[in-house]
Amino acid sequence: TDDNVYLLNDAANLLIERRAESQAEKLLLRAANSQPPAIETDDEAFEPNFVNSRSNWDMERAKSYYQLGFLYGLSGYFGRAIDYSRRAIETDSSLAEAYVNLVSGYLSSGQIELGRETYRLAKEKFPANEVLDQLSRLLNDQ
């Protein structure tokens, strides 16, 4: 794949659906560390929707971070889940799912106040997100 972030993420998502988490993790780590091809060698560099632009590549890497946060949360590695969810948000703050992961990671690791604070921020950014509404119920139980 030449460490193509788009292909790696797609393949990892398919592996996650098939419950092959360890294989998905390997691909996601490669995607998270990938770099776009050199602009001099990219035939699409002068296209209007240049898919390998730094900003597009970074947004796709944010999805890698988000998926890693999701996988680590499922596996009970809450510190890693929090770290990768933060990276996803730092790279692309429009990923509502990364906020959900981060809130869940905080709650699962007993950091209730950080979970509430992150939830409030996420709810401001994504007021219609139904998954955040579900998290609200969990926060009320804490």
Side-chain angles (χ1 to χ4, degrees):
T1 66
D2 293 327
D3 285 343
N4 182 303
V5 70
Y6 301 98
L7 293 174
L8 291 168
N9 280 346
D10 286 345
N13 286 332
L14 292 172
L15 289 168
I16 290 169
E17 288 176 13
R18 287 164 178 73
R19 309 290 299 159
E21 288 89 357
S22 65
Q23 293 163 315
E25 176 190 17
K26 290 175 187 172
L27 293 182
L28 289 169
L29 287 169
R30 277 180 60 189
N33 292 306
S34 68
Q35 297 296 319
I39 196 165
E40 300 86 14
T41 63
D42 195 330
D43 293 335
E44 296 181 22
F46 299 103
E47 297 296 321
N49 295 325
F50 178 37
V51 72
N52 290 328
S53 71
R54 173 55 73 182
S55 60
N56 287 341
W57 197 273
D58 285 345
M59 288 175 65
E60 191 67 19
R61 276 192 325 154
K63 293 176 186 175
S64 307
Y65 297 144
Y66 150 70
Q67 287 289 14
L68 282 164
F70 176 75
L71 277 180
Y72 289 134
L74 286 178
S75 301
Y77 297 110
F78 303 124
R80 287 183 189 170
I82 289 168
D83 181 47
Y84 278 104
S85 297
R86 279 188 192 151
R87 287 186 198 187
I89 292 166
E90 289 168 3
T91 307
D92 181 3
S93 64
S94 69
L95 277 177
E97 301 88 351
Y99 286 90
V100 170
N101 277 356
L102 187 55
V103 172
S104 298
Y106 283 140
L107 294 179
S108 297
S109 65
Q111 300 176 68
I112 307 304
E113 202 48 49
L114 282 173
R116 286 190 174 140
E117 182 180 320
T118 304
Y119 169 81
R120 284 190 289 274
L121 175 65
K123 197 60 181 164
E124 284 178 26
K125 288 180 73 73
F126 312 103
N129 188 291
E130 293 177 12
V131 179
L132 285 171
D133 292 337
Q134 293 171 0
L135 279 177
S136 173
R137 291 183 207 103
L138 287 175
L139 283 167
N140 290 333
D141 292 340
Q142 298 295 321

